[in-house]
Amino acid sequence: MTTAEWITASLVFIIAAILAVVSIRSFQNKGFLFNNAYLTKKV
């Protein structure tokens, strides 16, 4: 593999890990809620 491929693969795996953590926290009902009904709720 070339250096560019290593860098690209590393970035993809880092982004995947971050999204996995966000997903797990979302399923635990912690952190920011990614739900349009919640975001557009009128009080």
Side-chain angles (χ1 to χ4, degrees):
M1 290 178 70
T2 64
T3 305
E5 291 173 335
W6 276 104
I7 292 171
T8 303
S10 298
L11 288 175
V12 168
F13 281 115
I14 289 170
I15 291 169
I18 291 169
L19 291 176
V21 169
V22 169
S23 175
I24 290 168
R25 288 185 54 86
S26 180
F27 279 114
Q28 292 176 340
N29 295 327
K30 296 180 181 177
F32 185 75
L33 297 175
F34 296 103
N35 185 342
N36 286 336
Y38 176 77
L39 296 175
T40 60
K41 179 181 171 183
K42 305 282 188 205
V43 177

